Amino acid sequence: MKSYHNHKRRKSVSVLRASKVAAATSLIVAFTARAAFAQALPAAQDNDPVVGSGLPSEAATILTLQKAVALALDGNLDLAVARREIEATQGQVIQGQARPNPELAYSLEDQRAATRTQSVQINLPVEMGGKRAARITAAERGRDIAVEELNLRRVEIRAAVVAAFFETLAAQERAALAQASVDLAKRATDAVAKRVAAGKVSPVEETKARVAEAGVRVELAQAQSEQRNARARLASLLGANPPRFTLVSGDVEELPAVPSFDNVQQRLSASPTLRRMQLEVERRRSLVDVERSKRIPDVTFSLGVKRPNELQRDQLLFGVSVPLPLFDRNQGNLLEALKREDKARDELQALNMRVSTDVLQARERLESIRGEVDVVQRDVLPGAKSAYDAATVGFENGKFNFLEVLDAQRTYFAAKSQYLKALVEAHRTAADIDRVLGEPGANATQPANKE
């Protein structure tokens, strides 16, 4: 019996040990799986505009210009607002098509049953002077304005996306250039440190190199900050749920073409900005017709039955009523509508002149920027790049000090930044032209010569 209890106790101890080992093994497996899962997750980028925004995350993607424009036109909230306005103006058209309601009237004469008279009649108003047609036309012009407003918003959003995309692309290029500068500065600092350790140069040279490297790192931080801000501005244009993207893919050196004067004049006639104002003039003209039609009084026809109890028979009632326009001939509302039509015409002329001037100035600015890009690309960049390469090679061979390399590097960095700034300004100016003229011209880009 005692041996049985000892055997049972040993068995319980073995089971307890096995369960502890299993628990420990499970804990180790869970920890390992968690660590592996954490490593498998994509690391959050500090410059990701969606990280920390509360929006549903997606796999990081490379954003192209075509995709950015498509996302903006599909999900931008301003376009959703414009579509709601179209739906609202459709209600005005429906209401304008409605006819006046008939009226049911009942009257009772005398309280005594023997001499009481009761009558029932229907009054049907009939609009005269083309009121209904004028009202429908004015409502349809309002709907057309809402549709053109949607088209205008599409063009504006597309132009904004194009400008923001190339701004982001240039900021990405500047950040990459600044990172390359930091890498070079780090290698140069290490080289100077080795020379100091070997006793070939003074320790002051190492101090200068480290100070210069710190300055280059500050420039990198500024470039990365500009890149994050540019990405955030681009993401804000892509709709309510912009995708995560770490890179934008495109060629910032693909310059937009300068439209000809004939092309500008042709596209001005189809400009959504001018087209919307033209529709506003037409709507004001329709409202004048509405107010003018109100000067003609409507006619109300009445048809009913009258039954006097004294006669004990029904009598047919028929009547026509017309208001007399002796005092109110709607002259005030008509005058207001006429003056607002004149105001709309004046606004159209002023807008036409202003748009034409803005487009021609933008065209001139684009042509000037293309000339600036050609000069920087042909004369400035090659010389700065050659001096930078020569200084780098000379430093590696011990012929130049680090400050000379840094000076050549900063010269090249400034020239490259000026070049990228001019490219971005060219794309922004072309986007402004397309925003005003409405539709981008065919073959609107021409590749710039690579350095």
Side-chain angles (χ1 to χ4, degrees):
M1 187 72 176
K2 184 177 180 180
S3 60
Y4 171 77
H5 285 292
N6 292 334
H7 174 72
K8 186 174 182 182
R9 187 180 298 110
R10 287 196 300 270
K11 184 176 181 181
S12 300
V13 172
S14 300
V15 171
L16 180 60
R17 289 177 178 175
S19 60
K20 290 181 177 180
V21 171
T25 304
S26 301
L27 182 60
I28 293 173
V29 171
F31 180 80
T32 304
R34 181 180 179 184
F37 180 71
Q39 293 177 357
L41 289 176
Q45 300 290 333
D46 293 337
N47 52 8
D48 192 340
V50 181
V51 172
S53 63
L55 298 174
S57 60
E58 303 174 2
T61 59
I62 296 178
L63 189 66
T64 62
L65 177 59
Q66 291 76 13
K67 185 176 180 181
V69 172
L71 288 172
L73 295 181
D74 183 63
N76 192 278
L77 295 180
D78 290 340
L79 295 180
V81 172
R83 294 188 187 97
R84 295 296 185 188
E85 182 64 22
I86 295 177
E87 296 173 359
T89 55
Q90 182 60 32
Q92 296 179 356
V93 176
I94 295 175
Q95 185 62 36
Q97 296 172 347
R99 299 181 182 276
N101 292 322
E103 180 184 55
L104 178 64
Y106 169 80
S107 62
L108 175 65
E109 300 179 11
D110 203 344
Q111 298 179 354
R112 294 173 296 178
T115 58
R116 181 179 300 165
T117 301
Q118 304 180 65
S119 61
V120 178
Q121 65 181 25
I122 294 179
N123 301 323
L124 181 62
V126 177
E127 292 182 312
M128 307 297 291
K131 292 185 179 64
R132 181 171 177 269
R135 190 170 59 244
I136 293 174
T137 302
E140 290 176 345
R141 294 295 81 77
R143 181 185 58 188
D144 295 341
I145 290 176
V147 172
E148 196 62 37
E149 186 71 29
L150 175 61
N151 296 333
L152 179 60
R153 293 301 303 151
R154 285 178 179 272
V155 172
E156 291 176 347
I157 289 172
R158 184 189 183 282
V161 170
V162 170
F165 179 87
F166 283 106
E167 181 182 353
T168 304
L169 188 58
Q172 183 175 286
E173 295 284 343
R174 283 193 293 267
L177 184 62
Q179 183 62 56
S181 300
V182 169
D183 295 340
L184 176 63
K186 182 66 172 60
R187 292 196 305 268
T189 303
D190 295 340
V192 172
K194 292 179 181 179
R195 292 181 183 180
V196 171
K200 295 181 178 180
V201 296
S202 170
V204 178
E205 294 295 329
E206 182 179 359
T207 302
K208 293 180 179 180
R210 295 192 182 280
V211 171
E213 180 185 351
V216 175
R217 292 188 181 277
V218 170
E219 294 177 355
L220 173 61
Q222 293 174 350
Q224 290 176 341
S225 176
E226 293 176 0
Q227 183 182 13
R228 287 191 294 269
N229 292 334
R231 287 179 180 176
R233 286 190 293 269
L234 177 59
S236 66
L237 296 172
L238 300 185
N241 296 308
R244 289 182 53 189
F245 61 93
T246 56
L247 293 174
V248 291
S249 176
D251 188 1
V252 71
E253 293 183 321
E254 192 174 355
L255 288 176
V258 179
S260 63
F261 286 103
D262 294 338
N263 180 265
V264 169
Q265 295 300 327
Q266 292 175 1
R267 294 171 62 186
L268 268 176
S269 60
S271 170
T273 304
L274 295 179
R275 176 60 182 163
R276 186 199 176 282
M277 199 61 216
Q278 290 170 356
L279 289 174
E280 178 64 21
V281 172
E282 296 179 7
R283 188 179 77 91
R284 289 297 177 181
R285 186 186 304 118
S286 300
L287 292 177
V288 169
D289 295 337
V290 170
E291 299 301 333
R292 184 177 285 114
S293 66
K294 291 180 180 179
R295 302 184 66 181
I296 301 176
D298 297 335
V299 178
T300 301
F301 296 94
S302 301
L303 181 64
V305 177
K306 178 180 179 181
R307 183 177 180 83
N309 287 351
E310 292 180 339
L311 301 178
Q312 291 296 316
R313 64 184 181 87
D314 296 335
Q315 296 177 343
L316 181 64
L317 293 178
F318 179 78
V320 178
S321 62
V322 179
L324 300 177
L326 299 178
F327 306 107
D328 182 7
R329 299 188 301 275
N330 201 40
Q331 60 270 26
N333 293 333
L334 178 59
L335 178 61
E336 178 187 4
L338 289 170
K339 295 306 179 182
R340 291 193 181 278
E341 181 187 4
D342 295 338
K343 176 186 175 183
R345 292 182 184 277
D346 295 340
E347 290 176 344
L348 176 59
Q349 293 179 359
L351 181 63
N352 193 0
M353 183 177 300
R354 185 169 63 252
V355 166
S356 301
T357 303
D358 292 344
V359 170
L360 292 179
Q361 289 179 349
R363 181 192 177 279
E364 183 67 25
R365 187 166 65 252
L366 178 58
E367 191 171 12
S368 175
I369 294 172
R370 284 185 63 95
E372 177 185 349
V373 169
D374 291 339
V375 171
V376 174
Q377 188 182 68
R378 183 180 62 253
D379 300 331
V380 179
L381 277 181
K385 185 67 166 56
S386 177
Y388 170 62
D389 293 339
T392 303
V393 174
F395 173 77
E396 293 174 353
N397 295 328
K399 296 181 179 180
F400 299 109
N401 58 34
F402 175 67
L403 294 181
E404 292 174 329
V405 178
L406 180 63
D407 183 64
Q409 179 188 20
R410 286 180 174 174
T411 301
Y412 175 66
F413 184 85
K416 190 70 174 180
S417 298
Q418 180 184 3
Y419 178 62
L420 292 174
K421 182 179 179 181
L423 291 174
V424 171
E425 185 63 24
H427 287 289
R428 184 185 296 113
T429 303
D432 289 340
I433 294 175
D434 291 338
R435 176 181 55 81
V436 175
L437 298 183
E439 60 181 55
N443 302 325
T445 55
Q446 295 178 356
N449 297 325
K450 305 294 183 181
E451 53 172 296

